[in-house]
Amino acid sequence: MPSPTILFAAKSEKWAEYEPALRMALQKAGVDTTGLTTEADPAEVDYIIYAPNSGLQDFTPFTRAKAVLSLWAGVEDIVGNETITMPLARMVDYGLTQGMLEFVMGHVLRYHLMIDDFLAGQDGVWRPNLVPPLARDRKVTILGLGVLGAAAAQSLARIGFDVAGWSRSPKSIEGIACYHGEDGLFDAMRHAEILVTLLPDTAATRGLINQTTLAALPHGAKIINPGRGSLIEDAALLAALDTGKIAAATLDVFTIEPLPASHPYWRHPRVTVTPHIASATRAETASETIAENIRRGEAGETLLHLVDRAAGY
Ligand code: NAP
């Protein structure tokens, strides 16, 4: 069998990091790596390993490509590209999942244990009544019960949190109160002393966290958003922070990134801005997903993690 031509279409500085990881993973998967390259005649390319910030937008010349394999988990910048007529797979891998559940766990525990209150109270005053509840008495809701949301929900439930989750389709996950659809959203919001948003950016999720849905949260709720900036209407969140309805927010993703230095989030005393670092794609683990999909493609098997273009994720 001729070796497949595999085009690496990401920023050029990523090649040094990815080339050895991809070669190793492809070899392990039994795929010939001779055709792994950063430059090729588009008409000869079989697979495109793709990062949307690579500059590649027009896939029309890739007449025989069997798949576009995204290095990113979020595909909002890709799903609308009508020149991608071949199957499109997104990134799901151990590193992204583990990184996200560590991020969510860390920030939930920070709020749960009232760590900010103790940091602010290093003033010589002994406050023995400031005792956090046990996790089982803390209600956490995860919006989005996909790969990342379900993993985070299960990790939180494992250490005892009272966890609810919300998705588009009905789900049954042991230890999690699962809600779905429009009707379930408000039940899920009412449960959330701590709300974690792990939804994709689609037409249906944009602006989901707005004045109306924020009003359904318990007073003094905390929000952690490692999903997408577009999920939140910033003015509504800032207003809810100012009234105390929302006690604090940790925001990792924003409508405009990098978040402009003048944005009120930077100055808000109860907002923590992190620079889209909740979970990074790591070459070693991402390459295993890419290699497995190329192996599948070559064997005529269905690819993993295919994007539902109509749903937008
Ligand atoms: P996923 O597996 O596709 O899961 C998405 C979840 O959202 C699913 O449970 C889905 O419901 C739900 N959903 C989508 N549209 C909905 C709607 N209209 N109403 C209710 N639920 C809806 O995605 P994932 O791998 O968990 O990743 C989630 C998001 O995290 C990504 O899209 C990306 O934006 C973000 N992310 C951020 C970082 C970071 O570093 N900050 C890193 C990686 C990913 P169903 O289960 O019913 O389909």
Side-chain angles (χ1 to χ4, degrees):
M1 203 187 342
S3 69
T5 301
I6 306 167
L7 179 68
F8 182 77
K11 283 201 164 170
S12 55
E13 62 263 28
K14 291 281 178 191
W15 181 234
E17 182 191 354
Y18 270 90
E19 188 191 1
L22 280 167
R23 286 200 193 282
M24 191 184 291
L26 287 163
Q27 277 159 12
K28 230 167 110 185
V31 178
D32 186 339
T33 63
T34 321
L36 178 64
T37 178
T38 54
E39 273 174 37
D41 174 355
E44 304 280 304
V45 169
D46 296 293
Y47 299 93
I48 305 161
I49 302 171
Y50 182 57
N53 63 358
S54 62
L56 173 57
Q57 286 298 327
D58 182 9
F59 290 77
T60 321
F62 295 91
T63 44
R64 80 170 197 205
K66 295 179 198 163
V68 172
L69 307 171
S70 175
L71 288 171
W72 295 5
V75 289
E76 66 273 13
D77 294 336
I78 319 177
V79 276
N81 187 330
E82 287 176 2
T83 68
I84 302 181
T85 52
M86 56 296 270
L88 167 64
R90 70 193 191 91
M91 183 49 64
V92 172
D93 77 330
Y94 167 80
L96 269 173
T97 306
Q98 181 64 22
M100 187 57 81
L101 74 84
E102 289 179 17
F103 180 90
V104 170
M105 187 72 86
H107 288 278
V108 166
L109 282 171
R110 166 189 168 194
Y111 287 144
H112 167 63
L113 296 174
M114 305 185 292
I115 289 173
D116 293 23
D117 294 332
F118 291 102
L119 289 175
Q122 300 297 300
D123 52 4
V125 180
W126 189 254
R127 298 179 181 89
N129 296 328
L130 202 58
V131 180
L134 289 178
R136 69 180 185 187
D137 296 318
R138 180 76 75 193
K139 295 181 189 319
V140 183
T141 291
I142 316 269
L143 298 186
L145 285 174
V147 175
L148 303 180
Q154 284 169 311
S155 297
L156 291 165
R158 219 169 285 133
I159 63 164
F161 283 105
D162 178 352
V163 183
W166 182 69
S167 53
R168 197 161 63 106
S169 54
K171 296 235 181 301
S172 169
I173 305 175
E174 202 188 328
I176 315 293
C178 294
Y179 298 97
H180 71 278
E182 269 177 48
D183 295 346
L185 176 61
F186 285 88
D187 290 330
M189 295 295 275
R190 275 192 284 275
H191 178 93
E193 287 175 75
I194 301 174
L195 180 75
V196 181
T197 45
L198 269 169
L199 294 161
D201 172 8
T202 70
T205 62
R206 254 159 247 150
L208 191 86
I209 306 300
N210 53 42
Q211 195 184 359
T212 310
T213 50
L214 286 168
L217 290 171
H219 189 82
K222 289 157 177 147
I223 295 182
I224 300 165
N225 180 23
R228 279 294 179 263
S230 62
L231 303 175
I232 295 181
E233 279 184 9
D234 294 338
L237 175 58
L238 285 162
L241 281 158
D242 288 342
T243 63
K245 172 75 183 175
I246 302 303
T250 292
L251 308 173
D252 184 59
V253 282
F254 305 91
T255 313
I256 299 172
E257 294 183 10
L259 183 69
S262 59
H263 199 284
Y265 282 149
W266 285 114
R267 295 189 302 277
H268 201 290
R270 283 175 287 112
V271 172
T272 302
V273 170
T274 56
H276 201 145
I277 47 72
S279 188
T281 303
R282 291 165 168 87
E284 192 189 337
T285 52
S287 294
E288 289 168 8
T289 296
I290 299 285
E292 171 59 11
N293 259 344
I294 294 175
R295 184 200 68 72
R296 283 173 172 252
E298 291 305 275
E301 297 171 21
T302 309
L303 302 189
L304 297 173
H305 319 305
L306 286 171
V307 172
D308 175 344
R309 313 270 182 103
Y313 68 98

